[in-house]
């Protein structure tokens, strides 16, 4: 799987993140960290984060964490991973990513 994660092809990245979304229920921490690694690795496809399908998929994943898996946010590595995922899309200029960051802050109130 590590070999595939280093592929800097937007469609491959999208399919890998979709696979991690499917295993999220049984392995939430591992799936979250894998998605983070895909999006933040050197050579990650910059074109991927400019695609609205990429944003929708990653927003759905983070919203799922905020709704059903807030305990993950108590682990510093997972909280950082969620922020890093959001930061990738914030840097790409997506307003929905900004809104998501505020949702993370609300989870701690």
């Amino acid at each position: 799987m590590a070999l595939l994660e280093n592929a800097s092809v937007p469609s491959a990245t999208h399919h890998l993140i979709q696979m991690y979304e499917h295993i999220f229920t049984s392995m939430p921490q591992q799936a979250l960290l894998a998605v983070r690694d895909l999006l933040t690795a050197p050579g990650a496809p910059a074109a991927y984060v400019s695609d609205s399908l990429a944003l929708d998929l990653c927003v759905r994943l983070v919203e799922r964490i905020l709704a059903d898996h807030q305990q993950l946010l108590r682990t510093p590595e997972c909280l950082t991973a969620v922020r890093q995922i959001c930061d990738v899309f914030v840097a790409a200029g997506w307003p929905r990513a900004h809104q998501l960051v505020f949702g993370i802050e609300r989870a701690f109130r």
Side-chain angles (χ1 to χ4, degrees):
M1 193 64 113
L3 180 62
L4 288 174
E5 289 175 355
N6 291 327
S8 60
V9 178
S11 60
T13 299
H14 190 71
H15 290 298
L16 287 169
I17 293 174
Q18 285 177 318
M19 286 181 1
Y20 286 124
E21 181 185 34
H22 288 291
I23 65 166
F24 185 82
T25 301
S26 60
M27 302 172 60
Q29 183 171 353
Q30 294 87 342
L32 170 64
L33 297 177
V35 169
R36 184 262 332 256
D37 292 346
L38 281 168
L39 294 173
T40 61
Y48 180 69
V49 298
S50 63
D51 188 324
S52 64
L53 291 175
L55 175 70
D56 291 342
L57 178 59
C58 292
V59 164
R60 189 169 58 238
L61 181 66
V62 172
E63 286 176 338
R64 189 170 166 192
I65 291 167
L66 293 174
D68 302 328
H69 299 278
Q70 282 191 10
Q71 74 278 6
L72 283 175
L73 301 176
R74 293 187 190 111
T75 305
E77 183 179 22
C78 291
L79 177 58
T80 299
V82 169
R83 287 182 176 159
Q84 288 172 315
I85 290 169
C86 291
D87 286 347
V88 168
F89 291 96
V90 166
W94 288 103
R96 283 180 61 200
H98 288 277
Q99 294 168 347
L100 208 49
V101 171
F102 293 124
I104 295 169
E105 291 177 10
R106 279 185 290 231
F108 286 100
R109 291 184 190 164

